[in-house]
Amino acid sequence: MRRPSGYTYALPVDVYSTENELVIEASVPGLEPADVEITIEGETLTIKGERRAPLENVDYHIQERRYGLFARSLTLNLPVQSEGAEAVFEKGVLTLTIPKAEEARPKIIKVKSK
């Protein structure tokens, strides 16, 4: 079973937020940082790249691991500080951490007594 050339698959991601950050995680085993491109443009975050097939010129009997072009675009539903974003590879997981903009962070209002 072979995939058509030019096929782009959607990169599965987990997205969560903490009090101060938005975090996106994606499993990308076998990739190097240069194999992935991350952009934030307006409210859109895009992660794209390519996972090359491990072997060429062979006849696979079963080929279940994905390879080829991948891309994922997400609409960020809260204001972030894209200039403070940090992306790290660790054990095959890409973790992108983006600080929330000040207006998106929770405000704590102290109650005073009179």
Side-chain angles (χ1 to χ4, degrees):
M1 181 172 183
R2 299 195 62 100
R3 292 169 188 84
S5 64
Y7 175 80
T8 301
Y9 67 90
L11 180 67
V13 297
D14 292 338
V15 181
Y16 62 90
S17 62
T18 66
E19 187 174 313
N20 297 316
E21 303 168 324
L22 181 66
V23 181
I24 298 95
E25 293 181 332
S27 296
V28 289
L31 294 185
E32 298 292 332
D35 296 330
V36 177
E37 178 182 302
I38 302 169
T39 58
I40 299 175
E41 187 173 341
E43 295 181 351
T44 303
L45 164 72
T46 302
I47 303 171
K48 62 183 177 178
E50 182 175 6
R51 178 177 291 132
R52 291 175 179 72
L55 299 173
E56 295 182 14
N57 300 322
V58 299
D59 292 324
Y60 282 96
H61 296 280
I62 298 173
Q63 188 175 31
E64 296 178 339
R65 296 183 296 162
R66 289 186 171 188
Y67 71 91
L69 299 173
F70 62 85
R72 186 64 184 265
S73 290
L74 303 169
T75 300
L76 303 175
N77 58 357
L78 52 92
V80 295
Q81 296 175 344
S82 59
E83 63 280 351
E86 180 180 281
V88 176
F89 272 111
E90 185 176 351
K91 297 182 180 178
V93 176
L94 168 66
T95 302
L96 174 61
T97 305
I98 310 169
K100 290 180 181 177
E102 192 64 38
E103 63 267 23
R105 295 182 185 175
K107 307 286 187 275
I108 298 174
I109 300 169
K110 302 264 183 183
V111 178
K112 299 177 185 176
S113 62
K114 285 189 170 188

